[in-house]
């Protein structure tokens, strides 16, 4: 599982870094969706740069909670919810975006990567998942 997670994160970084997926094609989100995306991107960065496994996992848990929203599949209140009060969760609020159908696969991939990442026992695996999620969310954010 750890190798799959790392390979997935590296593949995402390569595809996004090579410009095959361009955030310039995405209309910038507004309102609750934009706010939650920025919070999740920030916490992805905190996770990717965390000095230890506990901190990396906790911030990745924050990202998962922002993605699925309170009561969503995988939501864990014990991790904390920095997106609380900002919206209903990125997955739910994506419906308000004019390109929601086109972006849904990216949100689904971010959720899957976060759900796998929070259960890893390797700092590198959690940080790699966080970096991959940050790249996905940057595309959705249009930036």
């Amino acid at each position: 599982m750890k190798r799959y997670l790392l390979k997935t994160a590296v593949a995402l970084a390569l595809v996004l870094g090579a410009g095959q997926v361009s955030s310039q094609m995405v209309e910038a989100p507004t309102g609750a969706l934009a706010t939650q995306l920025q919070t999740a991107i920030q916490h992805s960065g905190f996770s990717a740069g965390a000095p230890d496994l506990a901190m990396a996992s906790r911030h990745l848990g924050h990202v998962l909670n922002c993605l699925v929203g309170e009561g969503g599949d995988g939501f864990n209140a014990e991790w904390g919810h920095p997106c609380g009060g900002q919206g209903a969760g990125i997955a739910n609020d994506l419906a308000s975006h004019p390109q929601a159908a086109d972006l849904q696969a990216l949100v689904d991939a971010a959720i899957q990567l976060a759900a796998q990442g929070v259960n890893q026992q390797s700092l590198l695996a959690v940080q790699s998942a966080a970096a991959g999620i940050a790249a996905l969310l940057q595309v959705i954010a249009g930036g």
Side-chain angles (χ1 to χ4, degrees):
M1 178 67 86
K2 190 183 326 178
R3 292 178 65 114
Y4 171 76
L5 183 63
L6 187 56
K7 287 180 183 179
T8 301
V10 169
L12 284 170
L14 289 173
V15 167
L16 295 173
Q20 293 179 7
V21 177
S22 172
S23 58
Q24 294 174 350
M25 297 181 278
V26 177
E27 184 177 323
T30 59
L33 179 59
T35 302
Q36 292 169 98
L37 281 166
Q38 290 310 309
T39 300
I41 290 166
Q42 180 181 37
H43 283 267
S44 293
F46 293 159
S47 179
D52 59 61
L53 180 61
M55 180 79 65
S57 297
R58 183 168 198 84
H59 282 293
L60 193 54
H62 293 162
V63 174
L64 181 57
N65 283 350
C66 287
L67 284 162
V68 300
E70 193 167 341
D73 190 29
F75 184 88
N76 184 338
E78 291 180 16
W79 289 325
H81 190 29
C83 290
Q86 294 180 352
I90 293 167
N92 297 316
D93 289 338
L94 182 66
S96 68
H97 194 281
Q99 296 169 311
D102 299 318
L103 299 174
Q104 187 63 54
L106 297 177
V107 172
D108 292 345
I111 290 170
Q112 183 179 15
L113 198 51
Q116 291 174 359
V118 295
N119 292 312
Q120 297 303 307
Q121 298 304 310
S122 158
L123 177 59
L124 178 59
V126 175
Q127 290 173 324
S128 297
I133 293 164
L136 290 167
L137 296 181
Q138 285 288 355
V139 172
I140 297 166

